[in-house]
PDB file of all heavy atoms in Angstrom:
ATOM      1  N   MET A 137      -8.055  -8.330 -10.332  1.00  0.00           N
ATOM      2  CA  MET A 137      -8.053  -7.335  -9.265  1.00  0.00           C
ATOM      3  C   MET A 137      -7.067  -7.648  -8.137  1.00  0.00           C
ATOM      4  O   MET A 137      -7.170  -7.084  -7.053  1.00  0.00           O
ATOM      5  CB  MET A 137      -9.466  -7.159  -8.709  1.00  0.00           C
ATOM      6  CG  MET A 137     -10.475  -6.719  -9.761  1.00  0.00           C
ATOM      7  SD  MET A 137     -11.980  -5.961  -9.085  1.00  0.00           S
ATOM      8  CE  MET A 137     -12.584  -7.267  -8.035  1.00  0.00           C
ATOM      9  N   PHE A 161     -15.949   0.802   1.859  1.00  0.00           N
ATOM     10  CA  PHE A 161     -15.452  -0.559   1.714  1.00  0.00           C
ATOM     11  C   PHE A 161     -14.602  -0.893   2.941  1.00  0.00           C
ATOM     12  O   PHE A 161     -13.829  -0.059   3.411  1.00  0.00           O
ATOM     13  CB  PHE A 161     -14.603  -0.707   0.451  1.00  0.00           C
ATOM     14  CG  PHE A 161     -15.369  -0.589  -0.838  1.00  0.00           C
ATOM     15  CD1 PHE A 161     -15.168   0.494  -1.677  1.00  0.00           C
ATOM     16  CD2 PHE A 161     -16.274  -1.560  -1.207  1.00  0.00           C
ATOM     17  CE1 PHE A 161     -15.871   0.610  -2.870  1.00  0.00           C
ATOM     18  CE2 PHE A 161     -16.982  -1.460  -2.404  1.00  0.00           C
ATOM     19  CZ  PHE A 161     -16.788  -0.374  -3.234  1.00  0.00           C
ATOM     20  N   LYS A 162     -14.713  -2.107   3.435  1.00  0.00           N
ATOM     21  CA  LYS A 162     -13.961  -2.513   4.622  1.00  0.00           C
ATOM     22  C   LYS A 162     -12.750  -3.368   4.290  1.00  0.00           C
ATOM     23  O   LYS A 162     -11.838  -3.492   5.099  1.00  0.00           O
ATOM     24  CB  LYS A 162     -14.890  -3.288   5.581  1.00  0.00           C
ATOM     25  CG  LYS A 162     -16.147  -2.519   5.976  1.00  0.00           C
ATOM     26  CD  LYS A 162     -15.817  -1.144   6.546  1.00  0.00           C
ATOM     27  CE  LYS A 162     -17.076  -0.354   6.881  1.00  0.00           C
ATOM     28  NZ  LYS A 162     -16.748   1.048   7.270  1.00  0.00           N
ATOM     29  N   ILE A 163     -12.752  -3.978   3.090  1.00  0.00           N
ATOM     30  CA  ILE A 163     -11.687  -4.923   2.735  1.00  0.00           C
ATOM     31  C   ILE A 163     -11.015  -4.568   1.407  1.00  0.00           C
ATOM     32  O   ILE A 163      -9.815  -4.777   1.241  1.00  0.00           O
ATOM     33  CB  ILE A 163     -12.244  -6.368   2.664  1.00  0.00           C
ATOM     34  CG1 ILE A 163     -12.779  -6.788   4.032  1.00  0.00           C
ATOM     35  CG2 ILE A 163     -11.187  -7.355   2.185  1.00  0.00           C
ATOM     36  CD1 ILE A 163     -13.492  -8.115   4.028  1.00  0.00           C
ATOM     37  N   SER A 164     -11.760  -4.006   0.467  1.00  0.00           N
ATOM     38  CA  SER A 164     -11.260  -3.893  -0.909  1.00  0.00           C
ATOM     39  C   SER A 164     -11.237  -2.470  -1.450  1.00  0.00           C
ATOM     40  O   SER A 164     -11.235  -2.265  -2.663  1.00  0.00           O
ATOM     41  CB  SER A 164     -12.110  -4.768  -1.836  1.00  0.00           C
ATOM     42  OG  SER A 164     -12.086  -6.116  -1.413  1.00  0.00           O
ATOM     43  N   GLY A 194      -3.732 -13.964   6.695  1.00  0.00           N
ATOM     44  CA  GLY A 194      -4.874 -14.857   6.543  1.00  0.00           C
ATOM     45  C   GLY A 194      -6.165 -14.075   6.423  1.00  0.00           C
ATOM     46  O   GLY A 194      -6.272 -12.944   6.896  1.00  0.00           O
ATOM     47  N   VAL A 195      -7.153 -14.673   5.784  1.00  0.00           N
ATOM     48  CA  VAL A 195      -8.477 -14.050   5.651  1.00  0.00           C
ATOM     49  C   VAL A 195      -9.495 -14.989   6.280  1.00  0.00           C
ATOM     50  O   VAL A 195      -9.626 -16.145   5.873  1.00  0.00           O
ATOM     51  CB  VAL A 195      -8.832 -13.797   4.166  1.00  0.00           C
ATOM     52  CG1 VAL A 195     -10.233 -13.205   4.056  1.00  0.00           C
ATOM     53  CG2 VAL A 195      -7.798 -12.881   3.518  1.00  0.00           C
ATOM     54  N   SER A 196     -10.229 -14.493   7.282  1.00  0.00           N
ATOM     55  CA  SER A 196     -11.248 -15.318   7.921  1.00  0.00           C
ATOM     56  C   SER A 196     -12.374 -15.603   6.944  1.00  0.00           C
ATOM     57  O   SER A 196     -12.536 -14.910   5.939  1.00  0.00           O
ATOM     58  CB  SER A 196     -11.807 -14.609   9.154  1.00  0.00           C
ATOM     59  OG  SER A 196     -12.572 -13.481   8.767  1.00  0.00           O
ATOM     60  N   SER A 197     -13.159 -16.629   7.217  1.00  0.00           N
ATOM     61  CA  SER A 197     -14.262 -16.980   6.319  1.00  0.00           C
ATOM     62  C   SER A 197     -15.251 -15.835   6.211  1.00  0.00           C
ATOM     63  O   SER A 197     -15.786 -15.553   5.133  1.00  0.00           O
ATOM     64  CB  SER A 197     -14.966 -18.251   6.808  1.00  0.00           C
ATOM     65  OG  SER A 197     -15.447 -18.086   8.131  1.00  0.00           O
ATOM     66  N   ASP A 198     -15.486 -15.125   7.331  1.00  0.00           N
ATOM     67  CA  ASP A 198     -16.405 -13.989   7.307  1.00  0.00           C
ATOM     68  C   ASP A 198     -15.874 -12.898   6.383  1.00  0.00           C
ATOM     69  O   ASP A 198     -16.606 -12.367   5.540  1.00  0.00           O
ATOM     70  CB  ASP A 198     -16.601 -13.438   8.719  1.00  0.00           C
ATOM     71  CG  ASP A 198     -17.609 -12.302   8.769  1.00  0.00           C
ATOM     72  OD1 ASP A 198     -18.693 -12.459   8.168  1.00  0.00           O
ATOM     73  OD2 ASP A 198     -17.315 -11.268   9.389  1.00  0.00           O
ATOM     74  N   ASN A 199     -14.576 -12.558   6.504  1.00  0.00           N
ATOM     75  CA  ASN A 199     -13.984 -11.539   5.649  1.00  0.00           C
ATOM     76  C   ASN A 199     -13.888 -11.999   4.204  1.00  0.00           C
ATOM     77  O   ASN A 199     -13.956 -11.179   3.288  1.00  0.00           O
ATOM     78  CB  ASN A 199     -12.591 -11.164   6.157  1.00  0.00           C
ATOM     79  CG  ASN A 199     -12.650 -10.210   7.334  1.00  0.00           C
ATOM     80  OD1 ASN A 199     -13.678  -9.592   7.584  1.00  0.00           O
ATOM     81  ND2 ASN A 199     -11.568 -10.107   8.068  1.00  0.00           N
ATOM     82  N   TYR A 200     -13.739 -13.306   3.996  1.00  0.00           N
ATOM     83  CA  TYR A 200     -13.687 -13.824   2.632  1.00  0.00           C
ATOM     84  C   TYR A 200     -14.987 -13.506   1.895  1.00  0.00           C
ATOM     85  O   TYR A 200     -14.976 -13.027   0.764  1.00  0.00           O
ATOM     86  CB  TYR A 200     -13.442 -15.328   2.640  1.00  0.00           C
ATOM     87  CG  TYR A 200     -13.485 -15.944   1.261  1.00  0.00           C
ATOM     88  CD1 TYR A 200     -12.417 -15.826   0.381  1.00  0.00           C
ATOM     89  CD2 TYR A 200     -14.624 -16.640   0.822  1.00  0.00           C
ATOM     90  CE1 TYR A 200     -12.454 -16.378  -0.888  1.00  0.00           C
ATOM     91  CE2 TYR A 200     -14.669 -17.185  -0.442  1.00  0.00           C
ATOM     92  CZ  TYR A 200     -13.587 -17.061  -1.300  1.00  0.00           C
ATOM     93  OH  TYR A 200     -13.646 -17.595  -2.556  1.00  0.00           O
ATOM     94  N   PHE A 201     -16.120 -13.744   2.554  1.00  0.00           N
ATOM     95  CA  PHE A 201     -17.406 -13.463   1.909  1.00  0.00           C
ATOM     96  C   PHE A 201     -17.636 -11.969   1.744  1.00  0.00           C
ATOM     97  O   PHE A 201     -18.234 -11.527   0.758  1.00  0.00           O
ATOM     98  CB  PHE A 201     -18.541 -14.128   2.690  1.00  0.00           C
ATOM     99  CG  PHE A 201     -18.558 -15.625   2.559  1.00  0.00           C
ATOM    100  CD1 PHE A 201     -18.257 -16.440   3.635  1.00  0.00           C
ATOM    101  CD2 PHE A 201     -18.836 -16.223   1.334  1.00  0.00           C
ATOM    102  CE1 PHE A 201     -18.252 -17.821   3.505  1.00  0.00           C
ATOM    103  CE2 PHE A 201     -18.841 -17.607   1.186  1.00  0.00           C
ATOM    104  CZ  PHE A 201     -18.539 -18.408   2.283  1.00  0.00           C
ATOM    105  N   LYS A 202     -17.137 -11.159   2.694  1.00  0.00           N
ATOM    106  CA  LYS A 202     -17.210  -9.710   2.535  1.00  0.00           C
ATOM    107  C   LYS A 202     -16.390  -9.266   1.324  1.00  0.00           C
ATOM    108  O   LYS A 202     -16.798  -8.387   0.569  1.00  0.00           O
ATOM    109  CB  LYS A 202     -16.686  -9.010   3.791  1.00  0.00           C
ATOM    110  CG  LYS A 202     -17.622  -9.044   4.981  1.00  0.00           C
ATOM    111  CD  LYS A 202     -17.018  -8.299   6.157  1.00  0.00           C
ATOM    112  CE  LYS A 202     -17.942  -8.371   7.381  1.00  0.00           C
ATOM    113  NZ  LYS A 202     -17.303  -7.709   8.561  1.00  0.00           N
ATOM    114  N   LYS A 203     -15.230  -9.906   1.154  1.00  0.00           N
ATOM    115  CA  LYS A 203     -14.372  -9.570   0.024  1.00  0.00           C
ATOM    116  C   LYS A 203     -15.061  -9.892  -1.297  1.00  0.00           C
ATOM    117  O   LYS A 203     -15.019  -9.088  -2.241  1.00  0.00           O
ATOM    118  CB  LYS A 203     -13.051 -10.334   0.134  1.00  0.00           C
ATOM    119  CG  LYS A 203     -12.051 -10.041  -0.975  1.00  0.00           C
ATOM    120  CD  LYS A 203     -10.751 -10.798  -0.730  1.00  0.00           C
ATOM    121  CE  LYS A 203      -9.739 -10.515  -1.834  1.00  0.00           C
ATOM    122  NZ  LYS A 203      -8.458 -11.221  -1.601  1.00  0.00           N
ATOM    123  N   ILE A 204     -15.697 -11.055  -1.374  1.00  0.00           N
ATOM    124  CA  ILE A 204     -16.417 -11.436  -2.594  1.00  0.00           C
ATOM    125  C   ILE A 204     -17.517 -10.416  -2.885  1.00  0.00           C
ATOM    126  O   ILE A 204     -17.697  -9.971  -4.033  1.00  0.00           O
ATOM    127  CB  ILE A 204     -17.020 -12.846  -2.451  1.00  0.00           C
ATOM    128  CG1 ILE A 204     -15.910 -13.900  -2.341  1.00  0.00           C
ATOM    129  CG2 ILE A 204     -17.953 -13.156  -3.622  1.00  0.00           C
ATOM    130  CD1 ILE A 204     -15.019 -13.994  -3.550  1.00  0.00           C
ATOM    131  N   LYS A 205     -18.248 -10.017  -1.847  1.00  0.00           N
ATOM    132  CA  LYS A 205     -19.321  -9.039  -2.020  1.00  0.00           C
ATOM    133  C   LYS A 205     -18.773  -7.703  -2.512  1.00  0.00           C
ATOM    134  O   LYS A 205     -19.306  -7.101  -3.460  1.00  0.00           O
ATOM    135  CB  LYS A 205     -20.061  -8.845  -0.695  1.00  0.00           C
ATOM    136  CG  LYS A 205     -21.200  -7.825  -0.773  1.00  0.00           C
ATOM    137  CD  LYS A 205     -21.878  -7.667   0.581  1.00  0.00           C
ATOM    138  CE  LYS A 205     -22.982  -6.618   0.511  1.00  0.00           C
ATOM    139  NZ  LYS A 205     -23.638  -6.433   1.842  1.00  0.00           N
ATOM    140  N   GLU A 206     -17.690  -7.242  -1.879  1.00  0.00           N
ATOM    141  CA  GLU A 206     -17.127  -5.951  -2.261  1.00  0.00           C
ATOM    142  C   GLU A 206     -16.540  -5.992  -3.667  1.00  0.00           C
ATOM    143  O   GLU A 206     -16.676  -5.036  -4.432  1.00  0.00           O
ATOM    144  CB  GLU A 206     -16.083  -5.514  -1.239  1.00  0.00           C
ATOM    145  CG  GLU A 206     -16.700  -5.114   0.093  1.00  0.00           C
ATOM    146  CD  GLU A 206     -15.712  -4.478   1.051  1.00  0.00           C
ATOM    147  OE1 GLU A 206     -14.538  -4.306   0.665  1.00  0.00           O
ATOM    148  OE2 GLU A 206     -16.122  -4.146   2.176  1.00  0.00           O
ATOM    149  N   HIS A 207     -15.892  -7.094  -4.027  1.00  0.00           N
ATOM    150  CA  HIS A 207     -15.348  -7.209  -5.386  1.00  0.00           C
ATOM    151  C   HIS A 207     -16.465  -7.180  -6.425  1.00  0.00           C
ATOM    152  O   HIS A 207     -16.296  -6.622  -7.511  1.00  0.00           O
ATOM    153  CB  HIS A 207     -14.527  -8.491  -5.515  1.00  0.00           C
ATOM    154  CG  HIS A 207     -13.115  -8.329  -5.052  1.00  0.00           C
ATOM    155  ND1 HIS A 207     -12.082  -9.122  -5.485  1.00  0.00           N
ATOM    156  CD2 HIS A 207     -12.559  -7.460  -4.180  1.00  0.00           C
ATOM    157  CE1 HIS A 207     -10.942  -8.746  -4.915  1.00  0.00           C
ATOM    158  NE2 HIS A 207     -11.227  -7.747  -4.110  1.00  0.00           N
ATOM    159  N   THR A 208     -17.602  -7.765  -6.095  1.00  0.00           N
ATOM    160  CA  THR A 208     -18.743  -7.733  -7.010  1.00  0.00           C
ATOM    161  C   THR A 208     -19.219  -6.303  -7.205  1.00  0.00           C
ATOM    162  O   THR A 208     -19.498  -5.867  -8.332  1.00  0.00           O
ATOM    163  CB  THR A 208     -19.890  -8.608  -6.461  1.00  0.00           C
ATOM    164  OG1 THR A 208     -19.412  -9.949  -6.288  1.00  0.00           O
ATOM    165  CG2 THR A 208     -21.071  -8.610  -7.417  1.00  0.00           C
ATOM    166  N   ILE A 209     -19.321  -5.553  -6.118  1.00  0.00           N
ATOM    167  CA  ILE A 209     -19.731  -4.149  -6.197  1.00  0.00           C
ATOM    168  C   ILE A 209     -18.730  -3.342  -7.013  1.00  0.00           C
ATOM    169  O   ILE A 209     -19.109  -2.515  -7.856  1.00  0.00           O
ATOM    170  CB  ILE A 209     -19.881  -3.550  -4.779  1.00  0.00           C
ATOM    171  CG1 ILE A 209     -21.032  -4.223  -4.039  1.00  0.00           C
ATOM    172  CG2 ILE A 209     -20.106  -2.044  -4.852  1.00  0.00           C
ATOM    173  CD1 ILE A 209     -21.088  -3.893  -2.557  1.00  0.00           C
ATOM    174  N   ILE A 210     -17.455  -3.590  -6.784  1.00  0.00           N
ATOM    175  CA  ILE A 210     -16.410  -2.860  -7.498  1.00  0.00           C
ATOM    176  C   ILE A 210     -16.444  -3.169  -8.987  1.00  0.00           C
ATOM    177  O   ILE A 210     -16.309  -2.275  -9.832  1.00  0.00           O
ATOM    178  CB  ILE A 210     -15.027  -3.190  -6.892  1.00  0.00           C
ATOM    179  CG1 ILE A 210     -14.910  -2.568  -5.493  1.00  0.00           C
ATOM    180  CG2 ILE A 210     -13.892  -2.693  -7.793  1.00  0.00           C
ATOM    181  CD1 ILE A 210     -13.737  -3.076  -4.688  1.00  0.00           C
TER     182      ILE A 210
END
Side-chain angles (χ1 to χ4, degrees):
M137 301 200 302
F161 292 112
K162 305 306 177 187
I163 298 173
S164 302
V195 178
S196 69
S197 58
D198 183 47
N199 281 343
Y200 176 78
F201 289 111
K202 285 181 182 176
K203 181 177 180 179
I204 294 298
K205 179 181 178 181
E206 289 189 2
H207 275 204
T208 302
I209 294 169
I210 290 167

